[in-house]
Amino acid sequence: MRLRNITGSRETIGESIFVVHEPKEQKGKWRQLFGNEGPVHIEIGMGKGQFIYGLAARNPQINYVGIEKYSSVLLRAVQKMEAKPLTNLKLIRMEAEEIEEVFDIHEVDKIYLNFSDPWPKDRHAKRRLPSEAFLRRYDTILKPQGDLEFKTDNRDLFDFAVEQLEPAGWRADVITYDLHSDPQLMEGNIMTEYEEKFSSMGNPICKYIIRR
Ligand code: SAH
């Protein structure tokens, strides 16, 4: 997702109390930052933040960190927090490639990926957030018993993501190619912005839940 450059978005984010400005300094100290020993769940590529904000509002006992690389997009999540602050949600502007510099070994209890950029060219496969290269990074920061949930309407990306599991040493607890037709899996489902858009166009939504 790339919004038109919004004047002042970098400045607004730079001053926001909802954004962690030096995330690498928090490595190993996220629970300290939240002031409790609760679990830490992160979303990588959160976009405008509807999903993680909704989760955080619903689950006050869980600490959430939303990660997004573009200021213009992150700004929308900041605005949600300004309108109605939540103490259990922090936002970071960073590139997922640096994730191991921001979270310590096994510091994270759960990872969410939603409608990640497909990077359709073969030579860009390593940039895809559910690629083997990224699964190895998640392996480091995620607790051994932790899991990762991924939703997308992009069938090519999803098929690729499923193929990456075995070589990276992960396995699927759940795989569906039509999430919205599965009442059990839909229980508690929070729609992302892209999920609303693409499911309303009739695209089925794929989802997996994976662990090692
Ligand atoms: N999760 C949202 C947005 C999906 S679009 C939704 O489902 O509606 C994918 C988002 O991931 C974009 O906002 C993009 O800027 C962000 N993103 C892509 N690659 C990223 C990376 N390497 N690090 C951090 N964010 C990334």
Side-chain angles (χ1 to χ4, degrees):
M1 181 183 303
R2 199 155 193 181
L3 298 181
R4 182 172 46 84
N5 240 346
I6 296 169
T7 322
S9 61
R10 262 181 189 263
E11 289 71 17
T12 307
I13 287 163
E15 289 161 10
S16 174
I17 56 166
F18 304 114
V19 176
V20 176
H21 300 286
E22 300 293 344
K24 291 178 190 172
E25 288 175 13
Q26 293 306 320
K27 183 174 177 174
K29 297 189 263 185
W30 285 94
R31 283 177 182 76
Q32 232 166 293
L33 180 74
F34 284 105
N36 64 62
E37 286 302 311
V40 174
H41 295 188
I42 69 174
E43 183 186 9
I44 306 176
M46 70 167 165
K48 299 178 192 171
Q50 170 172 303
F51 173 82
I52 197 160
Y53 185 92
L55 273 180
R58 188 186 288 176
N59 304 302
Q61 75 290 0
I62 297 173
N63 303 306
Y64 291 94
V65 181
I67 295 164
E68 169 54 48
K69 73 172 166 185
Y70 289 119
S71 316
S72 55
V73 186
L74 181 71
L75 178 67
R76 302 302 181 197
V78 169
Q79 288 166 341
K80 288 182 178 68
M81 289 289 274
E82 284 171 350
K84 193 160 186 267
L86 299 172
T87 55
N88 62 327
L89 174 59
K90 303 282 180 207
L91 307 173
I92 312 179
R93 188 178 63 76
M94 64 169 270
E95 305 242 355
E97 284 73 3
E98 301 191 318
I99 199 85
E100 289 157 294
E101 294 168 53
V102 170
F103 296 96
D104 214 342
I105 298 171
H106 302 167
E107 193 171 15
V108 173
D109 295 83
K110 192 178 183 82
I111 299 174
Y112 293 100
L113 304 175
N114 291 309
F115 296 79
S116 308
D117 294 346
W119 293 105
K121 292 194 179 111
D122 281 346
R123 65 189 161 89
H124 291 149
K126 280 194 175 142
R127 298 187 191 177
R128 298 173 193 153
L129 295 183
S131 66
E132 185 179 344
F134 270 99
L135 289 174
R136 298 205 180 278
R137 296 182 175 111
Y138 307 149
D139 201 21
T140 311
I141 63 166
L142 186 66
K143 284 208 166 70
Q145 67 277 19
D147 61 11
L148 182 155
E149 298 195 9
F150 170 48
K151 293 194 276 192
T152 183
D153 70 319
N154 186 315
R155 184 60 190 265
D156 287 343
L157 178 65
F158 191 70
D159 288 343
F160 166 84
V162 169
E163 283 164 17
Q164 300 288 290
L165 297 179
E166 206 183 300
W170 294 64
R171 62 188 165 81
D173 281 346
V174 168
I175 297 185
T176 176
Y177 295 89
D178 190 0
L179 171 65
H180 290 200
S181 301
D182 186 323
Q184 216 178 327
L185 290 177
M186 277 304 276
E187 222 170 274
N189 185 59
I190 294 183
M191 296 252 252
T192 78
E193 279 96 351
Y194 276 39
E195 185 173 358
E196 280 183 348
K197 179 172 163 196
F198 293 123
S199 64
S200 74
M201 289 162 58
N203 298 6
I205 307 300
C206 303
K207 175 177 177 172
Y208 70 36
I209 305 175
I210 60 167
R211 61 180 67 249
R212 287 91 100 206

